[in-house]
Amino acid sequence: MTLARRLIQLFVGLLFYGLSIALIVRGDLGLDPWNVLTQGLFERWGQAMGISFGMIVNLLGVVVLLLWIPLRQRPGFGTVANVALIGPAANLFLALIPADMPIAVRAVLLVSGIVLTGLASSAYIGAGLGAGPRDGLMTGIVARTGWPVKWVRTGIELVVVCVGWILGGSVGLGTVLFALSIGPLVHVFLPMFTISEKTGRDAKETAV
């Protein structure tokens, strides 16, 4: 039963993460840091090569996995699912959510996307089936340094947005809001969604 719960939480988290990307993109008030980088790569090379925004998301995930090596992080099933599914999910929701909406609606999309990012990433990390490439980078640094999650996540986001901006990614108020809030959001949501091995054993003993 615990495995089924883990799988459901993983896939729902990944689906919602794709939705959160689309919400922020359609909010058009500044992308989240990783997608500032994604957009910068897309604008500079993706369009010319015929690669979609979602595919850039996936390819960037593969590149980030290489940074796990010095952190001694090990990919799991959830890591592979993350690389494979978030990009297509983002493409799907981008096709469904219209662009050029009134600014009040776009502001709601932005805030909803930021909160959903914190919730969704905590859900698939908490499933314990392997963190996504970007989140594994965060958890690896936390494990090696002992620094708080909120400061590590915020630091990563700030570095990424600077690189993305240099490449031509869209930076705005939403970018700043995301960079400053995502660390504290994950810090709050992650304990709520973390499934421990003890939970699984307790459930099995109760069933017996």
Side-chain angles (χ1 to χ4, degrees):
M1 187 66 181
T2 302
L3 178 59
R5 178 188 168 188
R6 288 177 187 274
L7 289 171
I8 291 171
Q9 184 170 308
L10 170 68
F11 286 114
V12 170
L14 294 176
L15 181 67
F16 281 177
Y17 197 93
L19 174 58
S20 73
I21 291 174
L23 289 172
I24 294 171
V25 170
R26 289 297 183 240
D28 197 24
L29 293 170
L31 298 176
D32 60 278
W34 280 105
N35 284 312
V36 171
L37 178 57
T38 301
Q39 187 186 51
L41 294 169
F42 177 71
E43 295 290 339
R44 182 159 297 198
W45 295 293
Q47 288 182 323
M49 299 174 65
I51 301 175
S52 70
F53 188 91
M55 182 57 69
I56 295 290
V57 172
N58 287 356
L59 293 175
L60 184 58
V62 173
V63 172
V64 173
L65 277 177
L66 298 176
L67 299 177
W68 285 30
I69 297 174
L71 296 173
R72 300 177 186 175
Q73 290 284 90
R74 294 184 178 180
F77 174 77
T79 309
V80 177
N82 184 294
V83 172
L85 299 180
I86 286 181
N91 277 342
L92 171 64
F93 288 115
L94 284 169
L96 294 175
I97 302 172
D100 301 322
M101 288 182 282
I103 189 168
V105 176
R106 290 191 284 120
V108 172
L109 292 180
L110 171 66
V111 173
S112 299
I114 292 173
V115 174
L116 188 58
T117 299
L119 189 151
S121 57
S122 297
Y124 66 69
I125 294 171
L129 294 172
R134 300 156 188 80
D135 300 296
L137 180 63
M138 174 192 72
T139 56
I141 293 174
V142 169
R144 293 298 164 191
T145 64
W147 298 339
V149 170
K150 57 184 177 181
W151 297 123
V152 171
R153 182 63 184 259
T154 300
I156 292 172
E157 304 293 344
L158 290 173
V159 170
V160 167
V161 76
C162 289
V163 175
W165 177 73
I166 291 171
L167 291 174
S170 177
V171 176
L173 177 61
T175 310
V176 176
L177 181 60
F178 187 100
L180 295 177
S181 63
I182 192 62
L185 283 170
V186 173
H187 192 76
V188 170
F189 285 131
L190 187 55
M192 298 180 186
F193 288 97
T194 299
I195 302 174
S196 67
E197 292 297 330
K198 182 178 179 180
T199 299
R201 289 196 301 270
D202 289 347
K204 188 180 295 184
E205 290 169 1
T206 300
V208 174

